[in-house]
Every structure is written in structure tokens, then in C-alpha cells.
Amino acid sequence: MPHISLRLIAPFIVLATAAPAAAKDKEAPPRPTQIQELYNCRDIADSAARLACFDREVGELQAADTKRDITFADRETVKKTRRGLFGFTLPSLGLFGGDGDEDQIKSIDTTVASSSQVDGGRYRITMADGSVWIQIDDRRMALAPRPGQKIQIKTASLGSYFLSLEGRPSIRVRRER
């Protein structure tokens, strides 16, 4: 049996044990002060004081909402927002729910609104949702994209995406706006 040096495998052991630890250490973003103060009202034993606390804190929460100091979004709104931002690289702020793989959008299906050729025979394609994608590879498309055609865009590597027009071979694109 061959002898394997501990120096050779030590970095792999460190990496293997660090990844799960890093995932566990990832905490949810802090709860807004207005929400926490409202939750704290539940701990008041005296009914009249608890009710006064709830009334006061709900008023504070409503004022913050009116001034747009705090915003509420349900899961469906977050999902639509994520879809609208598909293709942009944004910092992980925890604003749109979790940042785990289960929350990430891997592809979108849409249709062409318009397209035009730009330098080198590449395409700039505007989608029905208003997003604009530009071809970044030199692959030639047999037919130009036409309004109404179905498109699927999937995540690729290094911040790029694959765009497939009605199931044809993919081209590499990036989101322009």
C-alpha cells in the first residue's frame, strides 16, 4: 500500500471540513428594529401594558412603512423580483430571501420583443419583459431572432448565460439591461 504524506492531503481535509462549517455560520439578516420591538410586546405579562405596547409598535411600524423606511414583500413578490433581476450580478444582501441554491433562478423562458445585429454579426435581443441581452460569443445563428419566438436563458459560467432560441444550439450572452 503506498504511503501518502499528511502534508499532501492536509489542505483537502481543511477544505472538506471548512465548507459545512461556513454554511452553518451563515446567519439570517438581522430583523428590522420595528419588527423586533413589536415581537417584544408579547413578553409583557400585564394585559393593558401589552395592548398599549402592541398599539404603539404597530403605529411605529405603520409610520416606517409609510415613509418607506421598511418594506414588506411576500414570497411571490420576491420571486418576481428575482426573475426580473435574472442576469445581473448583485451582492448577497439577503434582501430577496435565502441565497441558497434552492432560491436561485437557474433559467427563464421568455419571448423575443425585438433584435438587431451589432458589431461582428452578434445580436442584441430585447425580451418581452424589457430585459436586453447581448451575444458575447462568435457563434453564428442560422436565422435571426424574430418577435414572438420563444427563448430560454440558462446560467453558464463566469457570469455569462446560454440563450437558446426555440431549442436551437445555444449562444453565450450577458445581460445588458
Side-chain angles (χ1 to χ4, degrees):
M1 183 157 135
H3 176 65
I4 299 174
S5 168
L6 185 56
R7 285 188 319 187
L8 293 176
I9 63 169
F12 297 105
I13 294 171
V14 170
L15 287 175
T17 57
K24 277 192 249 179
D25 291 344
K26 191 174 185 180
E27 294 180 21
R31 181 174 285 128
T33 303
Q34 298 92 334
I35 299 292
Q36 188 58 53
E37 292 298 322
L38 180 62
Y39 288 171
N40 290 344
C41 292
R42 294 180 298 185
D43 297 333
I44 299 173
D46 179 63
S47 298
R50 187 172 53 251
L51 180 59
C53 180
F54 275 122
D55 286 345
R56 180 184 66 250
E57 295 306 325
V58 167
E60 292 289 326
L61 190 58
Q62 184 177 15
D65 183 33
T66 301
K67 292 189 300 184
R68 296 288 192 210
D69 288 341
I70 191 169
T71 301
F72 301 97
D74 62 8
R75 188 171 298 279
E76 189 59 34
T77 301
V78 169
K79 196 174 183 181
K80 286 178 185 175
T81 302
R82 279 182 179 269
R83 188 181 190 292
L85 294 172
F86 181 78
F88 288 125
T89 303
L90 301 171
S92 176
L93 301 174
L95 296 176
F96 304 113
D99 290 322
D101 283 344
E102 71 279 356
D103 295 320
Q104 299 301 317
I105 296 175
K106 305 282 192 228
S107 69
I108 59 168
D109 294 304
T110 186
T111 57
V112 175
S114 66
S115 72
S116 60
Q117 270 196 318
V118 293
D119 58 76
R122 296 176 179 161
Y123 286 95
R124 174 179 284 122
I125 306 169
T126 302
M127 306 302 166
D129 63 4
S131 63
V132 178
W133 296 78
I134 189 157
Q135 182 179 359
I136 59 173
D137 65 13
D138 293 325
R139 178 175 268 171
R140 299 286 181 221
M141 296 179 77
L143 299 170
R146 294 183 320 276
Q149 284 186 304
K150 294 179 182 176
I151 282 190
Q152 183 178 59
I153 303 172
K154 294 181 182 180
T155 57
S157 61
L158 302 174
S160 65
Y161 296 82
F162 288 122
L163 179 149
S164 177
L165 179 67
E166 293 189 339
R168 296 185 195 136
S170 298
I171 60 171
R172 194 173 287 269
V173 296
R174 72 172 161 74
R175 185 154 177 190
E176 191 172 72
R177 63 169 197 243

